[in-house]
Amino acid sequence: MVLEAVATAVWAMLPAYVPNNVAVLAGGGRPIDGGRTWGGKRVLGDGKTWRGTAFGIGVGVALALALDVVAGDVGSALGVDLPGFPIAAALALPAGAMAGDVGASFLKRRTGRERGAAFPGVDQLDFVVGALGLAAIAAWGWFGDVFTPAVVLAVVVLTPMLHVGTNVIAYQLGLKDEPW
Ligand code: CTP
Ligand code: MG
Protein backbone atom coordinates (compact mmCIF):
# COMPACT_ATOMS: atom_id res chain seq x y z
CA MET A 1 0.00 0.00 0.00
CA VAL A 2 1.35 3.40 -1.02
CA LEU A 3 0.36 5.28 2.16
CA GLU A 4 2.00 2.61 4.30
CA ALA A 5 5.25 2.77 2.31
CA VAL A 6 5.31 6.58 2.33
CA ALA A 7 4.51 6.84 6.05
CA THR A 8 7.11 4.21 6.92
CA ALA A 9 9.72 5.90 4.70
CA VAL A 10 9.23 9.36 6.24
CA TRP A 11 9.06 7.98 9.79
CA ALA A 12 12.10 5.74 9.48
CA MET A 13 14.13 8.51 7.80
CA LEU A 14 13.27 11.36 10.19
CA PRO A 15 16.35 10.63 12.37
CA ALA A 16 18.41 10.89 9.15
CA TYR A 17 16.70 14.03 7.80
CA VAL A 18 16.87 16.21 10.89
CA PRO A 19 20.67 16.15 11.54
CA ASN A 20 21.42 18.14 8.36
CA ASN A 21 19.02 20.88 9.39
CA VAL A 22 20.29 20.93 12.96
CA ALA A 23 23.87 21.21 11.65
CA VAL A 24 22.87 24.31 9.67
CA LEU A 25 21.54 25.90 12.87
CA ALA A 26 24.37 24.70 15.15
CA GLY A 27 27.31 24.98 12.73
CA GLY A 28 30.33 27.13 13.43
CA GLY A 29 33.60 26.85 15.25
CA ARG A 30 36.43 24.54 14.33
CA PRO A 31 36.15 22.77 10.97
CA ILE A 32 36.60 18.98 11.07
CA ASP A 33 39.56 19.16 8.69
CA GLY A 34 41.23 21.77 10.92
CA GLY A 35 41.89 23.88 7.82
CA ARG A 36 44.08 21.22 6.21
CA THR A 37 44.37 20.91 2.47
CA TRP A 38 44.99 18.00 0.13
CA GLY A 39 46.20 18.57 -3.42
CA GLY A 40 45.86 22.33 -2.94
CA LYS A 41 42.19 22.12 -1.90
CA ARG A 42 40.62 21.92 1.53
CA VAL A 43 40.04 18.33 2.67
CA LEU A 44 36.41 19.10 3.63
CA GLY A 45 36.07 22.88 3.95
CA ASP A 46 34.70 25.30 6.54
CA GLY A 47 31.13 24.01 6.03
CA LYS A 48 31.78 20.78 8.00
CA THR A 49 32.32 21.61 11.67
CA TRP A 50 32.64 19.51 14.82
CA ARG A 51 29.85 21.45 16.49
CA GLY A 52 27.37 21.10 13.62
CA THR A 53 28.14 17.40 13.27
CA ALA A 54 27.91 16.64 17.01
CA PHE A 55 24.63 18.54 17.49
CA GLY A 56 23.21 17.00 14.32
CA ILE A 57 23.93 13.47 15.49
CA GLY A 58 22.82 14.20 19.08
CA VAL A 59 19.47 15.64 18.05
CA GLY A 60 18.94 12.83 15.52
CA VAL A 61 19.48 10.16 18.20
CA ALA A 62 17.21 11.98 20.66
CA LEU A 63 14.54 12.26 17.96
CA ALA A 64 14.69 8.52 17.21
CA LEU A 65 14.21 7.74 20.91
CA ALA A 66 11.33 10.23 21.13
CA LEU A 67 9.66 8.73 18.03
CA ASP A 68 9.83 5.33 19.75
CA VAL A 69 7.68 6.70 22.56
CA VAL A 70 4.93 7.97 20.25
CA ALA A 71 5.09 5.37 17.44
CA GLY A 72 2.11 3.41 18.79
CA ASP A 73 -0.20 6.42 19.07
CA VAL A 74 0.81 8.02 15.77
CA GLY A 75 0.61 4.66 14.01
CA SER A 76 -2.92 3.97 15.19
CA ALA A 77 -4.01 7.50 14.25
CA LEU A 78 -2.69 6.91 10.70
CA GLY A 79 -3.79 3.28 10.58
CA VAL A 80 -0.20 2.27 9.78
CA ASP A 81 2.19 0.05 11.70
CA LEU A 82 5.17 2.41 12.21
CA PRO A 83 8.61 0.99 13.00
CA GLY A 84 10.47 1.53 16.26
CA PHE A 85 14.20 2.29 16.45
CA PRO A 86 16.48 -0.17 18.23
CA ILE A 87 19.44 1.68 19.70
CA ALA A 88 21.78 0.57 16.89
CA ALA A 89 19.42 2.08 14.32
CA ALA A 90 18.85 5.21 16.44
CA LEU A 91 22.61 5.82 16.35
CA ALA A 92 23.34 4.66 12.81
CA LEU A 93 20.73 6.75 10.97
CA PRO A 94 21.93 10.18 12.22
CA ALA A 95 25.63 9.22 12.25
CA GLY A 96 25.37 7.76 8.74
CA ALA A 97 23.50 10.84 7.48
CA MET A 98 26.23 13.16 8.77
CA ALA A 99 28.96 10.87 7.43
CA GLY A 100 27.32 10.88 4.00
CA ASP A 101 27.19 14.68 4.01
CA VAL A 102 30.85 14.90 5.07
CA GLY A 103 31.78 12.38 2.37
CA ALA A 104 29.97 14.51 -0.22
CA SER A 105 31.98 17.59 0.82
CA PHE A 106 35.16 15.52 0.42
CA LEU A 107 34.05 14.66 -3.15
CA LYS A 108 33.04 18.26 -3.84
CA ARG A 109 36.50 19.54 -2.87
CA ARG A 110 38.25 16.83 -4.91
CA THR A 111 36.18 17.81 -7.97
CA GLY A 112 37.07 21.50 -7.58
CA ARG A 113 33.75 22.69 -6.14
CA GLU A 114 34.10 25.48 -3.58
CA ARG A 115 32.26 25.44 -0.29
CA GLY A 116 28.57 25.96 -0.93
CA ALA A 117 28.72 25.00 -4.62
CA ALA A 118 25.79 22.85 -5.74
CA PHE A 119 26.40 19.23 -6.68
CA PRO A 120 23.01 18.14 -8.05
CA GLY A 121 22.00 14.65 -7.03
CA VAL A 122 24.83 14.29 -4.54
CA ASP A 123 23.53 17.14 -2.33
CA GLN A 124 20.07 15.54 -2.17
CA LEU A 125 21.03 11.91 -1.64
CA ASP A 126 24.44 11.85 0.11
CA PHE A 127 22.87 11.55 3.55
CA VAL A 128 20.40 8.89 2.37
CA VAL A 129 23.23 6.68 1.14
CA GLY A 130 25.16 7.25 4.38
CA ALA A 131 22.17 6.64 6.66
CA LEU A 132 20.89 3.54 4.87
CA GLY A 133 24.38 2.13 4.46
CA LEU A 134 25.33 2.51 8.11
CA ALA A 135 21.91 1.32 9.33
CA ALA A 136 22.21 -1.77 7.14
CA ILE A 137 25.60 -2.54 8.68
CA ALA A 138 24.67 -1.72 12.29
CA ALA A 139 21.14 -3.18 12.41
CA TRP A 140 20.81 -5.60 9.51
CA GLY A 141 17.72 -7.49 10.71
CA TRP A 142 15.81 -4.30 11.52
CA PHE A 143 16.92 -2.73 8.26
CA GLY A 144 15.61 -5.64 6.21
CA ASP A 145 12.24 -5.57 8.01
CA VAL A 146 11.69 -1.81 7.66
CA PHE A 147 13.32 -0.96 4.33
CA THR A 148 11.37 -3.16 1.95
CA PRO A 149 11.83 -2.38 -1.77
CA ALA A 150 8.66 -0.22 -1.71
CA VAL A 151 9.93 1.79 1.26
CA VAL A 152 13.37 2.28 -0.32
CA LEU A 153 11.65 3.49 -3.51
CA ALA A 154 9.54 5.94 -1.47
CA VAL A 155 12.71 7.22 0.27
CA VAL A 156 14.55 7.74 -3.02
CA VAL A 157 11.61 9.59 -4.59
CA LEU A 158 10.54 11.68 -1.58
CA THR A 159 13.89 12.65 -0.08
CA PRO A 160 15.08 14.97 -2.86
CA MET A 161 11.73 16.78 -2.76
CA LEU A 162 11.80 17.17 1.02
CA HIS A 163 15.46 18.21 0.94
CA VAL A 164 14.96 20.85 -1.76
CA GLY A 165 11.86 22.14 0.03
CA THR A 166 13.43 22.48 3.48
CA ASN A 167 16.59 24.07 2.09
CA VAL A 168 14.64 26.69 0.12
CA ILE A 169 12.74 27.52 3.32
CA ALA A 170 15.97 27.69 5.35
CA TYR A 171 17.45 29.98 2.67
CA GLN A 172 14.42 32.27 2.68
CA LEU A 173 14.55 32.46 6.47
CA GLY A 174 18.19 33.55 6.16
CA LEU A 175 19.48 30.45 7.96
CA LYS A 176 21.38 29.08 4.99
CA ASP A 177 23.63 30.87 2.47
CA GLU A 178 22.43 28.93 -0.59
CA PRO A 179 19.04 27.40 -1.39
CA TRP A 180 20.54 23.83 -1.74
N1 CTP B 1 27.27 22.33 8.91
C1 CTP B 1 28.21 22.00 9.89
N2 CTP B 1 28.66 20.70 10.02
C2 CTP B 1 28.20 19.74 9.18
C3 CTP B 1 27.25 20.05 8.17
C4 CTP B 1 26.81 21.36 8.05
O1 CTP B 1 28.61 22.86 10.66
N3 CTP B 1 28.65 18.46 9.34
C5 CTP B 1 26.77 23.73 8.81
C6 CTP B 1 27.83 24.68 8.23
O2 CTP B 1 27.67 25.93 8.86
C7 CTP B 1 27.43 24.73 6.76
C8 CTP B 1 25.92 24.69 6.82
O3 CTP B 1 25.64 23.82 7.94
O4 CTP B 1 27.91 25.89 6.11
C9 CTP B 1 25.27 24.19 5.55
O5 CTP B 1 25.61 22.83 5.33
P1 CTP B 1 26.03 22.31 3.88
O6 CTP B 1 25.14 22.86 2.83
O7 CTP B 1 26.15 20.83 3.99
O8 CTP B 1 27.52 22.92 3.75
P2 CTP B 1 28.16 23.98 2.76
O9 CTP B 1 28.55 25.19 3.56
O10 CTP B 1 27.28 24.15 1.60
O11 CTP B 1 29.51 23.28 2.33
P3 CTP B 1 29.76 22.09 1.28
O12 CTP B 1 30.02 22.74 -0.04
O13 CTP B 1 30.95 21.42 1.83
O14 CTP B 1 28.55 21.22 1.28
MG1 MG C 1 25.69 23.33 0.85
Side-chain angles (χ1 to χ4, degrees):
M1 195 174 100
V2 175
L3 170 70
E4 176 120 46
V6 168
T8 303
V10 172
W11 185 266
M13 289 303 284
L14 273 173
Y17 290 153
V18 167
N20 281 287
N21 301 302
V22 170
V24 173
L25 299 176
R30 193 174 152 74
I32 295 174
D33 67 9
R36 277 182 284 273
T37 58
W38 190 31
K41 313 260 186 225
R42 286 287 294 275
V43 177
L44 300 173
D46 284 331
K48 304 298 120 148
T49 68
W50 289 110
R51 200 168 79 200
T53 308
F55 273 93
I57 294 174
V59 172
V61 174
L63 175 66
L65 300 178
L67 290 178
D68 268 343
V69 176
V70 297
D73 288 343
V74 177
S76 39
L78 293 175
V80 174
D81 197 10
L82 294 171
F85 299 95
I87 191 69
L91 288 167
L93 290 166
M98 290 274 82
D101 181 56
V102 168
S105 289
F106 180 80
L107 285 180
K108 284 165 102 170
R109 303 300 92 84
R110 303 287 76 70
T111 55
R113 291 174 170 80
E114 298 297 331
R115 173 189 179 183
F119 198 166
V122 174
D123 279 327
Q124 287 75 39
L125 288 169
D126 52 16
F127 60 102
V128 172
V129 172
L132 294 185
L134 198 59
I137 293 167
W140 177 249
W142 175 85
F143 182 84
D145 287 344
V146 174
F147 289 97
T148 60
V151 172
V152 172
L153 179 65
V155 168
V156 170
V157 171
L158 289 174
T159 303
M161 298 197 268
L162 288 171
H163 189 257
V164 169
T166 51
N167 283 332
V168 167
I169 292 168
Y171 172 70
Q172 283 171 347
L173 291 175
L175 299 171
K176 216 172 175 299
D177 294 338
E178 307 89 16
W180 49 77

